[in-house]
Amino acid sequence: MPLVSIIMPVYNTGNVLHSTIKSVLMQTFTDFELLLIDDGSQDGSSEICDYYAQKDPRVLVFHKINGGICDARNYGITRTCGKYIAFCDHDDEYLPFLLEKSIDIFEKTDSDLLHYRYRNYSDLQKDCIFELPILNKDIWNITNLSILHNKLEYLHYFSTVWSIIYKADLIKSNKIRFNTKLKHGGEDLEFNLMVMKYASRMIVIPDILYIHRIRESLSTSAKYYEDLLFYYHISQKLDNDIITQKGINFKDEYYTLNLTHRLISFISLASIVGKQYKEIRYGFMIFEDLDLSTTIVKKYNWINLRITLIYILFKFKLYLLLYILFKYRNRKRRKKHKRYNS
């Protein structure tokens, strides 16, 4: 039985898939299985998967009807055999020592998760466009995740699943799965927030061990998707549940920053895709559950005038007026969105 199960959803990746699979197979640590979940590819990616399965017994291929990345990852989770579960996107890269460094440390601790750093690259630029901020120069054994939950979330440590190795039992025993309703982002953070409800210990290592590639050249001008409204709503509810369950201080600065980003993103997206106020009223309700208006308005000393105005309207529950202001501010983007989807 392999020690690590690596899940890689594959969909119409093309020849880039070769380098991604090779980066996993060339790991200095070899006790793993690689599950290639072919999610109904139609461009030859299926044949590439089969080629590596015939070449290396550690590679397992599953061909399925297209259901999206969340469905493919869930499919993979139920078929893993390892003590640990890791993820890799089909056009990214494992650096050679990723598993060796991670598993050696993981096996010496009683942690639930292990997090390593990563860099993002765009196919339109040669230089790195984002590098996960470093928390500690040395290996950091966080034995009480509750204390640092808000800060870790704000610094994007919960934003991706391919930068974390999980104890398989933590995921399986608690029946944690990806939300298949999310098609255009947010699924990783929601998954990790569900994990955080049950995890208490995490190892953070400062090494950059993963390269994430963003294929911006394949993106379209329509970057606004209605399913993200659901994501902002459900992720805030998960955060509220974790705060209540673990007694986290939700009044700290990092929680305020997380909430601010989520609230503004929710209102802005709704105004761009043309939602009526009555359709998104529920979104405001989740933000007022813990009297968060009082919390955020106390932060005037570090916010600008525009954000202060938003907080004041939110504090006095003038949600309709707040939404009208956002609709006016985003009128050009709303017209562009309508043209693209007409």
Side-chain angles (χ1 to χ4, degrees), residues 115-120 130-136 140 142 147-160 162-164 189 192-193 202 204 239 252-259 261-262:
H115 200 298
Y116 42 81
R117 293 172 63 227
Y118 60 87
R119 287 195 180 110
N120 288 352
F130 175 79
E131 181 176 297
L132 188 71
I134 191 167
L135 287 177
N136 197 311
W140 192 7
I142 303 174
I147 297 174
L148 293 169
H149 176 91
N150 294 331
K151 182 177 181 178
L152 290 169
E153 182 177 350
Y154 176 70
L155 293 176
H156 302 290
Y157 271 72
F158 299 155
S159 298
T160 61
W162 33 255
S163 59
I164 300 176
L189 175 59
N192 282 331
L193 288 178
M202 181 169 76
V204 177
D239 250 350
D252 70 18
E253 180 178 354
Y254 289 107
Y255 183 76
T256 303
L257 290 166
N258 291 332
L259 179 141
H261 168 73
R262 204 171 279 149

Side-chain angles (χ1 to χ4, degrees), residues 112-318:
D112 301 308
L113 316 163
L114 182 140
H115 200 298
Y116 42 81
R117 293 172 63 227
Y118 60 87
R119 287 195 180 110
N120 288 352
Y121 287 88
S122 164
D123 60 354
L124 300 181
Q125 302 178 41
K126 291 183 179 180
D127 297 329
C128 170
I129 61 174
F130 175 79
E131 181 176 297
L132 188 71
I134 191 167
L135 287 177
N136 197 311
K137 293 182 179 179
D138 301 314
I139 297 168
W140 192 7
N141 187 0
I142 303 174
T143 56
N144 188 347
L145 270 172
S146 299
I147 297 174
L148 293 169
H149 176 91
N150 294 331
K151 182 177 181 178
L152 290 169
E153 182 177 350
Y154 176 70
L155 293 176
H156 302 290
Y157 271 72
F158 299 155
S159 298
T160 61
V161 295
W162 33 255
S163 59
I164 300 176
I165 299 179
Y166 307 79
K167 272 190 175 178
D169 184 62
L170 178 70
I171 294 175
K172 293 182 177 181
S173 62
N174 293 298
K175 299 180 180 179
I176 301 170
R177 297 293 186 269
F178 290 89
N179 191 333
T180 56
K181 292 181 180 179
L182 297 175
K183 303 291 186 182
H184 302 100
E187 66 276 357
D188 287 20
L189 175 59
E190 188 193 353
F191 181 87
N192 282 331
L193 288 178
M194 288 190 287
V195 169
M196 295 308 150
K197 292 179 69 174
Y198 304 99
S200 58
R201 301 172 302 277
M202 181 169 76
I203 295 288
V204 177
I205 58 179
D207 307 66
I208 291 177
L209 299 174
Y210 190 97
I211 302 298
H212 177 56
R213 304 198 183 280
I214 301 171
R215 296 192 288 175
E216 293 184 89
S217 60
L218 299 181
S219 65
T220 66
S221 58
K223 298 180 180 179
Y224 310 110
Y225 302 99
E226 291 189 24
D227 61 326
L228 288 176
L229 291 173
F230 172 73
Y231 154 69
Y232 292 130
H233 177 265
I234 195 65
S235 59
Q236 185 60 48
K237 186 178 186 306
L238 281 168
D239 250 350
N240 290 354
D241 290 345
I242 293 170
I243 286 165
T244 303
Q245 174 186 322
K246 298 195 173 185
I248 299 172
N249 176 21
F250 69 88
K251 295 185 179 181
D252 70 18
E253 180 178 354
Y254 289 107
Y255 183 76
T256 303
L257 290 166
N258 291 332
L259 179 141
T260 301
H261 168 73
R262 204 171 279 149
L263 173 63
I264 293 176
S265 297
F266 175 84
I267 303 171
S268 184
L269 177 62
S271 68
I272 291 170
V273 299
K275 289 292 185 181
Q276 296 298 315
Y277 172 71
K278 61 182 180 181
E279 297 179 273
I280 54 98
R281 175 67 178 84
Y282 71 91
F284 291 100
M285 294 173 65
I286 192 66
F287 290 103
E288 67 184 19
D289 278 355
L290 298 178
D291 192 23
L292 298 176
S293 55
T294 302
T295 304
I296 57 183
V297 171
K298 287 181 179 179
K299 294 293 181 179
Y300 286 159
N301 60 318
W302 55 262
I303 55 180
N304 61 38
L305 184 60
R306 182 175 66 88
I307 303 299
T308 302
L309 175 60
I310 293 172
Y311 286 172
I312 291 173
L313 293 175
F314 186 80
K315 176 182 179 180
F316 293 103
K317 299 186 179 182
L318 299 173

